[in-house]
Amino acid sequence: MQTGHIPLGRRAYDVLVDFDCLPRLGSVLRERALAQDNVAVITSPRIGGLYYESVEAGLREAGFRHVGRWDLPDGEESKNLARFSEAVEWLARFTPDPAIRPAVVALGGGVVGDLAGFAAASFRRGIPYVQAPTTLLAAVDSSVGGKTAVNLPEGKNLVGAFYQPRLVYVDLSTLETLEVRELRSGCAEVIKYGAALDADLFRFLEQSIEDLLALDREALTRVVTRCIELKADVVRRDEREEKRVRVCLNFGHTLGHAIEKASDRRLRHGECVAVGMLAAAHISVELGLCSAQIPQRLEALIRRAGLPAAAEGLDMAHVMEFVKHDKKFVTGANRFVVLRGIGQWQEYEGVPEELVREAAGSVLV
Ligand SMILES: NC(=O)c1ccc[n+]([C@@H]2O[C@H](COP(=O)([O-])OP(=O)(O)OC[C@H]3O[C@@H](n4cnc5c(N)ncnc54)[C@H](O)[C@@H]3O)[C@@H](O)[C@H]2O)c1
Ligand SMILES: [Zn+2]
């Protein structure tokens, strides 16, 4: 089992990464005294159907007397306030005794993790929770760092909290049941880490992206643990996104989010990030910050990962409208995460609108 650590003082926690380890989650919670008698597993019909039984058996074997399951319906549209209410009301019924503190296990992808984390953050002003991510995106990104949220009709992730889990417990064998499109989408975030933060990781992906997609254990372990280390370092330096460090994780996301919205959920998040990274790389070249070789390497890797290098059938005006409303745009001047080279990100304020339009045009077909 690989162990990572998120060093946040009193809120510090470990990230454990292994294969076939969900049945042992109960004993790990017991050994680390992370839960008392009541363990509330928040999952979804699909993910719970695949993995809840083994988690539950392990929890019971470890002596947890009161174990329960609540399902969030699958899909981003479930990440809302109504479902959040249902989750906390269920927690209230699950543990009515105020003397007992339940712990939450979030078993699922980013949708389950974000809502379950926010439920744990707010139920009785905060109860302990553990992230058990089951998608590549959740393993390398959303499960680590303590951002929890639900969506409003007015926008994504508008209601939430920074609330760190007590443990992140990654069973990489769960990725075997993930649809290949989801796996590829998660790969976009992995490529993002390499492109923005780590040239060695990027080179490793250039050598081994096919192994990663084939879920080769060595490649997968190496890549996931490295991404978690990178995220840990970013979170350590800027836990609450106040120091303009955590913004590096937004590489590819400014145009990516706009494309995601304009596509009306037809495209996966990671697919939009892939396209957004190419647009941001284009901007970087045009600003004279990096050589034209950088977007070429990025595009080659994105294509090998089975991700799109352009988005089809979207209206440019529509995309530009969403770009302008993106929360990463501060009043007056926009801010983009750009590259000076592979693994070298920088925030750039005031990219000329004409150049943003041109970059968007270069990835819309
Ligand atoms: N908190 C953060 O820091 C952070 C960071 C990035 C993204 N996010 C959020 O994460 C969410 C996206 O997460 P996601 O990409 O994991 O999507 P997801 O949670 O919707 O999961 C994708 C699909 O895969 C299915 N699935 C999950 N694990 C499976 C498995 N092991 N086998 C079979 N099917 C499985 C799910 O049921 C779902 O249909 C978004 O809501 C986004 O806002 C949060
Ligand atoms: Zn993302």
Side-chain angles (χ1 to χ4, degrees):
M1 181 162 269
Q2 300 279 325
T3 309
H5 187 68
I6 314 294
L8 291 172
R10 288 179 54 226
R11 292 180 304 287
Y13 54 96
D14 284 343
V15 180
L16 306 181
V17 181
D18 205 348
F19 290 84
D20 307 307
C21 60
L22 275 180
R24 294 201 304 279
L25 176 59
S27 59
V28 171
L29 294 189
R30 183 59 85 199
E31 280 158 25
R32 294 174 170 240
L34 290 175
Q36 298 171 345
D37 270 344
N38 291 20
V39 182
V41 181
I42 298 186
T43 183
S44 80
R46 186 192 297 178
I47 304 156
L50 290 162
Y51 301 110
Y52 177 73
E53 220 172 274
S54 65
V55 171
E56 188 197 20
L59 286 164
R60 293 205 184 278
E61 210 168 292
F64 293 103
R65 279 184 297 186
H66 194 40
V67 179
R69 163 178 172 181
W70 185 80
D71 281 3
L72 176 69
D74 282 291
E76 179 73 29
E77 55 290 349
S78 292
K79 210 178 98 175
N80 62 34
L81 276 177
R83 296 295 184 191
F84 164 80
S85 296
E86 289 175 23
V88 285
E89 284 164 26
W90 174 74
L91 285 173
R93 291 193 298 278
F94 180 70
T95 307
D97 182 349
I100 299 173
R101 223 162 118 82
V104 167
V105 171
L107 175 67
V111 165
V112 165
D114 278 12
L115 184 138
F118 186 44
S122 37
F123 181 67
R124 287 176 24 193
R125 300 188 187 83
I127 55 173
Y129 79 113
V130 171
Q131 290 280 11
T134 63
T135 64
L136 183 57
L137 176 134
V140 298
D141 195 354
S142 62
S143 66
V144 177
K147 272 204 207 174
T148 72
V150 294
N151 305 327
L152 293 183
E154 285 76 9
K156 266 190 75 160
N157 298 326
L158 286 181
V159 180
F162 284 100
Y163 189 64
Q164 300 295 342
R166 296 296 173 88
L167 176 73
V168 178
Y169 192 82
V170 189
D171 184 339
L172 290 173
S173 16
T174 60
L175 303 187
E176 279 161 23
T177 53
L178 200 58
E179 278 175 23
V180 69
R181 198 170 169 196
E182 295 295 341
L183 186 67
R184 294 181 193 284
S185 183
C187 267
E189 304 286 357
V190 169
I191 293 172
K192 174 192 79 177
Y193 280 106
L197 294 168
D198 185 353
D200 284 344
L201 172 62
F202 195 87
R203 271 191 293 275
F204 181 75
L205 293 171
E206 286 181 319
Q207 286 159 17
S208 318
I209 190 85
E210 287 78 15
D211 297 339
L212 185 70
L213 289 165
L215 300 179
D216 172 80
R217 291 194 167 198
E218 219 178 296
L220 195 56
T221 307
R222 175 164 171 181
V223 165
V224 170
T225 50
R226 183 63 189 141
C227 290
I228 291 170
E229 269 170 30
L230 291 164
K231 177 125 191 198
D233 189 53
V234 169
V235 171
R236 175 184 64 76
R237 290 190 287 151
D238 186 9
E239 184 182 0
R240 298 175 70 92
E241 211 164 276
E242 291 159 344
K243 298 183 188 137
R244 308 222 63 82
V245 171
R246 205 160 163 158
V247 288
C248 65
L249 302 173
N250 290 334
F251 175 59
H253 281 61
T254 304
L255 266 160
H257 276 148
I259 289 169
E260 193 173 356
K261 284 185 201 153
S263 88
D264 211 13
R265 305 248 164 90
R266 190 168 48 80
L267 296 174
R268 306 293 306 152
H269 174 72
E271 292 165 353
C272 300
V273 170
V275 172
M277 288 193 288
L278 290 175
H282 179 94
I283 289 174
S284 313
V285 173
E286 292 302 313
L287 290 171
L289 296 168
C290 71
S291 79
Q293 219 203 346
I294 302 298
Q296 283 165 13
R297 281 177 71 188
L298 195 54
E299 180 170 343
L301 188 55
I302 282 170
R303 286 186 187 279
R304 278 169 59 198
L307 288 159
E312 280 174 32
L314 300 182
D315 177 41
M316 168 73 114
H318 210 176
V319 172
M320 286 304 289
E321 207 41 48
F322 285 125
V323 169
K324 286 183 193 155
H325 285 117
D326 192 280
K327 65 175 189 291
K328 282 158 218 93
F329 268 55
V330 286
T331 354
N334 63 44
R335 286 176 174 182
F336 267 85
V337 178
V338 290
L339 297 182
R340 279 182 288 117
I342 294 292
Q344 294 172 282
W345 71 281
Q346 175 193 320
E347 197 176 25
Y348 193 99
E349 197 170 320
V351 178
E353 191 175 328
E354 211 27 62
L355 180 51
V356 178
R357 192 177 294 278
E358 183 196 307
S362 73
V363 293
L364 296 179
V365 288

